[in-house]
Amino acid sequence: MMNLGSLSLSTNKSSKPMVNLSFSIPYFTHWGQSLLVCGSAPGLGSGNVKKGLLLKPSQQEDQLIWSGCVSVPPGFSCDYCYYVVDDLKNVLRSEFGMKRKLLVPETFTGGESVQLRDLWQSADQSLPFRSAFKDVIFRNTREVEIERPLGVFENKSDQDDSVVVQFKICCSDVREGTSVYVLGTPAKLGKWKVENGFRLNYVGDSMWEADCLIPKADFPIKYRYCKVQKDSNIGFESGGNRELTLHSSGSKQEYIVMSDGLFRDMPWRGAGVAVPMFSVRSEDDVGVGEFLDLKLLVDWAVDSGLHLVQLLPVNDTSVHKMWWDSYPYSSLSVFALHPLYLRVQALSERLPESIKEEIQKAKKQLDNKDVDYEATMETKLSIAKKIYDLEKDQTLNSSSFQKFFSENEGWLKPYAAFCFLRDFFETSDHSQWGTFSDYTENKLEKLASKDSLHYNTICFHYYIQYHLHVQLSEASEYARKRGVVLKGDLPIGVDRNSVDTWVNKNLFRMNTATGAPPDYFDKNGQNWGFPTYNWEEMSKDNYAWWRARLTQMGKYFTAYRIDHILGFFRIWELPAHAVTGLVGKFRPSIPLSQEELEKEGIWDFDRLSKPYVQRKFLEEKFGDFWPFIASNFLSETQKDLYEFKEDCNTEKKIAAKLKSLAEKSLLLENEDKVRRDVFDILRNVVLIKDPEDARKFYPRFNLEDTSSFQDLDDHSKNVLKRLYYDYYFQRQEDLWRKNALKTLPALLNSSNMLACGEDLGLIPSCVHPVMQELALVGLRIQRMPSESDVEFGIPSNYDYMTVCAPSCHDCSTLRAWWEEDEERRQRYFKEVIAVDEIPPSQCVPEITHFILRQHVEAPSMWAIFPLQDMLALKEEYTTRPATEETINDPTNPKHYWRYRVHVTLDALMKDTDLKSTIKNLVSSSGRSFPVSAAGEDANNKKQ
């Protein structure tokens, strides 16, 4: 044993002998970094990292080992974990997963040595404990073989020439009838013969362990873990042999705890289907897909060899009470579920005949090609209100409702009150609600009290949310039992006029808007209109709002997609008066200071930061119409140079003025075209002045495209081009990395769901390393490659920690993409399919099969296909025009999200040919597939 010194954790003042407890962990650090162990007991910091035990490094062959020791009394217990810290013990990196548990047996008499040989728990080591794997894919009904707290020793040694070694390994993918063994060089480990190997016991939570008494003369030993089936089929873990050396402490009894991390298996891979909830069609639904339809979708997924069903957000979006609310990423509440997905006929087992007839009539009327959002919402709420009037007393007094209410009261009462006030004031803009504009608990309690005149209306919203919870919970549990991961979607923003901004105004910057800079979808950028987050305020309670949001989501889903994960690094922030998303800045970001610019010879800040409007620009853009534009929107400041008038110096003001002119028939040109052109003139700036500090500036996105930039001298152009590149691609990286590492772990640790991040678009270089560190699964869409030098992604080159797909909801379907561009189709045929012929103009099933096969054979953890792309495997499902299957057009901020699959799930369940085709694709690629109704093995295909 190395001379590490010792620290006593005993509070016993007697001279009773102590147990020597040592920690050892391999970890390579950078200069100025150290490792520290912090535990729940005194002497290990009592949970305070600053008071934890600092470990000392030593080089052992090719490893840097950090070690330290303490003296503890028999019966000592604690939780502990390791941290990377700087010289001041500030935490630089933390372990992931559950804290380790230790319990020194009461039977120890003192003088024993316990060596804890640990491995750093990285984020990817915690993946088997995510609910997608632990509770669904590797759902384990195996009985615990030995019930004891983790860390308790089973085998006590009284022999000075032997050591008790506790082997511990996490092995999730162990089927019934299979056991985990340790095989190795000593006789106790079978001398590599399985019939004499050392069998471990299952102790729960995918952990296998057992204590083995090994003679000291056998050290050093080499060993490996393996899975042994009843038929003696052996599956060794991959990689080289593990090694265990002995550092004798001279103690009378020595114990070594080998925490060996994960069983080194071939990476698990699966496949899934993605479809919005509103797009699902069944014989039971009323105008739109419903939560209970998920059970049928799960059955179809299982029969098709799919382990996952992915949805778009399902939270209530009823802000405007019209079809605009079809946009699923603009939440009215991040906790409430959408009434659209309610199955009204499941609200009661005793429906009157009149209501049954009304439901049947509604099913026929709303069984359209696309979702009629307004009619469906109105119909469902009307029917639900009639059932509520009949059933409310029984439901609201039931124990199940009372349990639901007590567990969700924190968000449910404000939500119900908000819905009442929205309807009462006929607007969700809570700034128009008079005394209720400012939320307080007292106002809420008066409004929602049983004595309130509005109590019955508020209870109706409780009732709807309760039944939505019951129905989604039923579908969720069904998916778990069938081995199907239900994957949700976490929107990056909330609607400006939402429950969340009403109740938690301090968490949002209401004078700003969230958007995206120009990327794949829109050359003018996007303005989503969401207020940006006040991360500084959110951090004060360790992001409690986010943690509550993820906890709620985890009640129904076992995986989730983080929409626009870049928003946790930096967000594209716009002034609230912006309509488009072009003239924005990143928050957080390091701006250009006035001093910095002046040192570079840049002085005329008004010229650079105000719209540069010359007569020649107006004539070029508007032709003979330019005098009308000048007289209505501009003032001439000097000859042939203009500035915008006060009443039209923002995009929103311009849009309002143009609308007024059009209504008065004064606008002779096309209103949309004029608006775009006037916006272009307004955005003709090089620098954007910080509204909070006039001496700070941000380079306008694509500033080289502006005529304002073109008119500058060469020196100014060169300086501003260099600073532009520095702002967008260099100086922010460390800031954004640190920001993400503050915010994202709070989300990831607040639930056990498997987290995936949507990382498309302009990706800063810091993003992928952080996602790798946090074990976040990325997204790869073949037509949107992350590599800048290729047109089409190559699925065989994708990383394991990715989801791969040929398309997604934010772009055209595979069929539409193939058919919309002949030249691109030819390039794809030649470069990817490697056929130098003229490709078919239609995406025939053979093309679809090839592209899907590319993706299932990729190394990616998941291959998830939009349902439309899977239906393209069969010609009879391609009769509908491909363009009608697009879910979203990102270039249209008022897109109507209403696509419905043109075939019912009931019909798809009967189509054995399609299910067989999909399942053969999955199984032949080596991906895992769930147990079907016929009882096939869920994991008989391994990589």
Side-chain angles (χ1 to χ4, degrees):
M1 194 71 158
M2 293 166 288
N3 183 15
L4 299 170
S6 63
L7 175 68
S8 174
L9 302 189
S10 174
T11 56
N12 187 348
K13 295 183 180 180
S14 70
S15 58
K16 181 179 178 180
M18 305 287 282
V19 176
N20 185 48
L21 181 65
S22 65
F23 300 89
S24 176
I25 183 169
Y27 193 94
F28 282 103
T29 54
H30 296 295
W31 181 259
Q33 297 179 344
S34 298
L35 249 68
L36 173 151
V37 61
C38 179
S40 56
L44 288 180
S46 297
N48 184 344
V49 176
K50 295 275 188 181
K51 298 180 179 179
L53 175 65
L54 201 61
L55 305 180
K56 297 181 180 180
S58 64
Q59 191 73 36
Q60 297 181 23
E61 297 182 352
D62 60 344
Q63 290 187 319
L64 185 64
I65 307 294
W66 293 82
S67 307
C69 64
V70 294
S71 296
V72 302
F76 172 83
S77 66
C78 77
D79 299 340
Y80 71 96
C81 56
Y82 296 93
Y83 297 87
V84 179
V85 297
D86 62 18
D87 292 338
L88 299 176
K89 290 190 176 181
N90 296 311
V91 176
L92 303 176
R93 185 170 291 115
S94 306
E95 288 191 287
F96 282 78
M98 298 179 292
K99 291 187 176 181
R100 297 173 172 83
K101 296 182 181 296
L102 171 69
L103 177 59
V104 177
E106 292 276 3
T107 53
F108 279 18
T109 57
E112 296 89 350
S113 167
V114 177
Q115 302 172 28
L116 304 175
R117 308 276 185 94
D118 292 322
L119 296 175
W120 180 267
Q121 293 180 169
S122 57
D124 59 344
Q125 297 269 315
S126 68
L127 286 177
F129 300 101
R130 294 295 181 185
S131 52
F133 294 107
K134 178 174 175 286
D135 300 330
V136 183
I137 294 166
F138 302 137
R139 187 181 177 105
N140 199 335
T141 57
R142 180 189 296 268
E143 295 291 328
V144 172
E145 296 172 347
I146 292 183
E147 294 191 16
R148 57 175 178 166
L150 290 175
V152 176
F153 298 102
E154 178 187 46
N155 194 337
K156 183 177 178 183
S157 169
D158 290 322
Q159 303 176 34
D160 293 339
D161 61 347
S162 297
V163 177
V164 175
V165 179
Q166 183 177 97
F167 292 98
K168 300 171 66 172
I169 190 76
C170 173
C171 190
S172 354
D173 189 7
V174 180
R175 287 172 285 162
E176 204 63 42
T178 301
S179 298
V180 178
Y181 280 72
V182 185
L183 301 183
T185 51
K188 291 283 188 176
L189 300 184
K191 293 187 176 181
W192 298 110
K193 294 182 179 179
V194 67
E195 61 268 21
N196 298 322
F198 185 65
R199 183 183 181 278
L200 304 184
N201 301 307
Y202 181 64
V203 296
D205 284 332
S206 301
M207 294 301 299
W208 297 74
E209 66 177 57
D211 303 339
C212 184
L213 189 63
I214 301 178
K216 292 181 180 179
D218 287 345
F219 287 87
I221 66 174
K222 294 184 178 181
Y223 65 100
R224 294 173 84 176
Y225 295 94
C226 65
K227 301 175 190 176
V228 181
Q229 299 176 7
K230 284 182 178 179
D231 59 5
S232 298
N233 186 25
I234 305 172
F236 277 99
E237 63 176 346
S238 58
N241 293 328
R242 301 176 188 258
E243 296 187 15
L244 172 57
T245 56
L246 183 63
H247 305 294
S248 182
S249 63
S251 301
K252 62 179 184 181
Q253 295 164 6
E254 295 188 47
Y255 298 79
I256 299 175
V257 181
M258 293 301 298
S259 297
D260 277 326
L262 300 182
F263 187 96
R264 298 186 307 234
D265 225 338
M266 292 295 287
W268 182 95
R269 293 153 66 238
V273 59
V275 61
M277 190 71 260
F278 57 79
S279 298
V280 170
R281 188 187 295 267
S282 77
E283 293 178 0
D284 290 328
D285 69 49
V286 178
V288 71
E290 298 166 346
F291 287 145
L292 288 176
D293 287 327
L294 290 173
K295 296 172 71 174
L296 199 55
L297 181 58
V298 163
D299 287 341
W300 181 83
V302 170
D303 288 356
S304 302
L306 306 174
H307 254 306
L308 182 145
V309 168
Q310 177 173 323
L311 304 177
L312 294 187
V314 293
N315 293 112
D316 192 357
T317 58
S318 308
V319 175
H320 306 283
K321 300 199 74 175
M322 59 178 293
W323 67 264
W324 289 0
D325 297 333
S326 67
Y327 178 40
Y329 289 90
S330 188
S331 306
L332 177 82
S333 165
V334 299
F335 299 99
L337 297 170
H338 207 308
L340 188 69
Y341 306 128
L342 184 70
R343 176 156 294 169
V344 288
Q345 58 266 50
L347 294 178
S348 172
E349 296 178 352
R350 300 178 301 279
L351 291 179
E353 286 301 317
S354 60
I355 292 180
K356 289 181 181 178
E357 291 173 4
E358 186 176 357
I359 292 172
Q360 287 302 118
K361 182 180 178 182
K363 286 174 66 174
K364 292 178 181 178
Q365 289 178 337
L366 297 171
D367 187 23
N368 303 319
K369 182 179 72 172
D370 298 310
V371 176
D372 186 333
Y373 181 91
E374 293 174 21
T376 304
M377 277 290 288
E378 183 180 352
T379 299
K380 287 198 170 189
L381 290 177
S382 173
I383 294 172
K385 182 63 168 62
K386 293 175 183 177
I387 302 172
Y388 166 76
D389 289 338
L390 297 172
E391 302 258 330
K392 60 184 177 184
D393 291 338
Q394 179 179 345
T395 300
L396 299 180
N397 292 320
S398 67
S399 59
S400 58
F401 173 82
Q402 294 296 327
K403 182 175 184 292
F404 166 77
F405 186 83
S406 64
E407 291 177 351
N408 297 277
E409 183 177 1
W411 65 264
L412 184 59
K413 286 176 71 174
Y415 163 78
F418 186 98
C419 291
F420 165 75
L421 291 168
R422 172 201 60 198
D423 297 343
F424 181 84
F425 287 102
E426 298 183 338
T427 178
S428 290
D429 182 355
H430 37 82
S431 68
Q432 306 299 312
W433 289 355
T435 185
F436 290 106
S437 293
D438 294 319
Y439 171 88
T440 67
E441 290 287 342
N442 287 338
K443 292 176 187 176
L444 175 67
E445 290 305 318
K446 289 179 182 178
L447 193 63
S449 72
K450 292 185 178 180
D451 299 328
S452 169
L453 293 173
H454 317 296
Y455 183 66
N456 185 60
T457 303
I458 286 174
C459 282
F460 175 63
H461 296 294
Y462 296 161
Y463 174 86
I464 294 294
Q465 287 301 311
Y466 166 68
H467 279 286
L468 287 165
H469 162 74
V470 169
Q471 292 180 15
L472 182 53
S473 296
E474 180 181 330
S476 175
E477 182 56 28
Y478 185 81
R480 281 184 172 89
K481 288 181 177 178
R482 295 231 60 191
V484 173
V485 173
L486 198 57
K487 183 181 177 185
D489 198 324
L490 182 77
I492 185 61
V494 300
D495 197 280
R496 182 172 300 278
N497 299 314
S498 65
V499 184
D500 301 281
T501 58
W502 181 50
V503 175
N504 301 295
K505 282 183 182 177
N506 61 319
L507 301 183
F508 303 90
R509 300 183 186 277
M510 298 301 290
N511 62 339
T512 64
T514 302
D519 58 8
Y520 288 105
F521 303 127
D522 191 344
K523 64 184 179 65
N524 290 317
Q526 299 173 351
N527 183 347
W528 300 324
F530 310 135
T532 53
Y533 295 118
N534 186 341
W535 289 111
E536 295 81 6
E537 191 67 28
M538 288 180 162
S539 68
K540 292 178 181 178
D541 58 7
N542 192 27
Y543 310 98
W545 180 80
W546 281 103
R547 289 186 286 111
R549 189 176 175 184
L550 267 294
T551 300
Q552 183 73 10
M553 202 174 179
K555 294 178 180 179
Y556 312 111
F557 299 101
T558 48
Y560 66 106
R561 167 190 177 271
I562 302 175
D563 172 46
H564 193 65
I565 196 170
L566 271 67
F568 294 93
F569 293 79
R570 80 319 186 248
I571 200 73
W572 188 244
E573 184 177 81
L574 303 154
H577 55 67
V579 175
T580 64
L582 188 58
V583 186
K585 62 182 177 67
F586 288 121
R587 181 182 286 273
S589 66
I590 303 168
L592 309 178
S593 69
Q594 185 167 323
E595 294 77 12
E596 180 181 6
L597 291 163
E598 288 173 347
K599 287 179 181 178
E600 297 280 3
I602 305 295
W603 301 92
D604 195 349
F605 298 108
D606 276 354
R607 156 71 176 82
L608 296 171
S609 62
K610 290 183 178 180
Y612 184 56
V613 187
Q614 288 190 312
R615 175 174 172 167
K616 63 179 181 179
F617 301 153
L618 298 174
E619 290 175 339
E620 289 172 5
K621 188 168 283 290
F622 298 101
D624 294 340
F625 190 57
W626 84 266
F628 178 86
I629 297 297
S631 62
N632 281 278
F633 294 91
L634 304 166
S635 299
E636 191 170 17
T637 57
Q638 50 186 289
K639 184 171 175 56
D640 294 337
L641 196 62
Y642 296 83
E643 69 178 9
F644 278 87
K645 295 178 179 179
E646 180 67 27
D647 67 342
C648 49
N649 60 0
T650 71
E651 289 181 337
K652 282 190 176 178
K653 289 179 181 179
I654 290 170
K657 189 160 189 173
L658 282 170
K659 184 178 181 181
S660 174
L661 291 170
E663 289 172 350
K664 296 175 183 177
S665 300
L666 298 175
L667 193 62
L668 302 180
E669 300 287 324
N670 178 272
E671 183 182 349
D672 288 341
K673 182 181 184 306
V674 173
R675 181 171 58 247
R676 288 194 299 270
D677 289 343
V678 177
F679 281 2
D680 282 346
I681 297 294
L682 180 71
R683 299 181 306 211
N684 190 26
V685 297
V686 175
L687 297 176
I688 300 168
K689 186 178 292 186
D690 191 319
E692 299 169 8
D693 188 339
R695 297 181 65 83
K696 293 179 179 177
F697 300 88
Y698 304 89
R700 177 224 196 259
F701 198 91
N702 286 348
L703 55 80
E704 291 182 61
D705 294 343
T706 67
S707 54
S708 178
F709 179 86
Q710 301 295 338
D711 263 19
L712 293 173
D713 61 89
D714 288 343
H715 169 75
S716 297
K717 286 182 181 179
N718 291 332
V719 168
L720 289 166
K721 280 196 290 187
R722 176 165 48 81
L723 292 176
Y724 174 91
Y725 184 84
D726 180 56
Y727 176 83
Y728 281 99
F729 302 108
Q730 290 184 332
R731 71 166 65 187
Q732 318 297 347
E733 294 292 333
D734 187 56
L735 173 67
W736 292 343
R737 177 185 176 277
K738 290 177 179 176
N739 193 55
L741 289 174
K742 281 193 301 184
T743 56
L744 283 171
L747 271 72
L748 301 178
N749 293 331
S750 61
S751 83
N752 284 327
M753 292 182 289
L754 176 67
C756 307
E758 182 268 291
D759 54 348
L760 302 175
L762 295 170
I763 305 297
S765 60
C766 63
V767 171
H768 288 147
V770 168
M771 291 183 68
Q772 183 178 9
E773 181 175 339
L774 301 180
L776 280 159
V777 182
L779 177 61
R780 299 292 177 268
I781 304 295
Q782 188 172 32
R783 73 185 74 169
M784 304 176 187
S786 54
E787 305 89 350
S788 60
D789 58 342
V790 297
E791 183 178 8
F792 311 111
I794 305 173
S796 60
N797 290 344
Y798 293 161
D799 293 331
Y800 172 69
M801 290 293 290
T802 57
V803 170
C804 68
S807 68
C808 66
H809 69 273
D810 268 335
C811 60
S812 55
T813 62
L814 176 57
R815 271 206 309 140
W817 176 80
W818 181 269
E819 296 166 9
E820 67 193 7
D821 188 324
E822 181 181 357
E823 292 182 359
R824 183 182 61 201
R825 182 168 65 239
Q826 291 176 346
R827 293 193 302 273
Y828 185 92
F829 210 60
K830 183 176 181 179
E831 296 172 21
V832 179
I833 303 183
V835 176
D836 199 9
E837 299 176 1
I838 297 176
S841 59
Q842 302 296 308
C843 189
V844 295
E846 292 78 11
I847 295 293
T848 302
H849 192 279
F850 174 87
I851 294 174
L852 266 57
R853 181 163 59 83
Q854 270 192 314
H855 287 76
V856 293
E857 291 178 353
S860 302
M861 179 190 294
W862 290 102
I864 301 176
F865 304 101
L867 181 57
Q868 305 96 299
D869 292 352
M870 287 184 163
L871 294 180
L873 286 166
K874 197 164 183 179
E875 190 172 359
E876 71 178 79
Y877 297 129
T878 63
T879 55
R880 185 175 183 174
T883 53
E884 293 183 2
E885 294 185 330
T886 298
I887 295 167
N888 177 38
D889 175 7
T891 65
N892 178 9
K894 291 299 181 186
H895 177 75
Y896 194 168
W897 297 60
R898 62 187 313 198
Y899 164 71
R900 292 195 79 189
V901 180
H902 58 290
V903 57
T904 66
L905 289 174
D906 313 76
L908 288 177
M909 281 297 295
K910 296 173 184 176
D911 191 338
T912 55
D913 288 342
L914 178 64
K915 291 190 293 186
S916 177
T917 299
I918 297 171
K919 189 165 187 175
N920 287 339
L921 272 170
V922 174
S923 61
S924 64
S925 71
R927 290 184 180 268
S928 171
F929 51 88
V931 176
S932 73
E936 295 167 318
D937 188 359
N939 294 295
N940 61 1
K941 287 289 182 183
K942 296 296 174 187
Q943 299 80 284

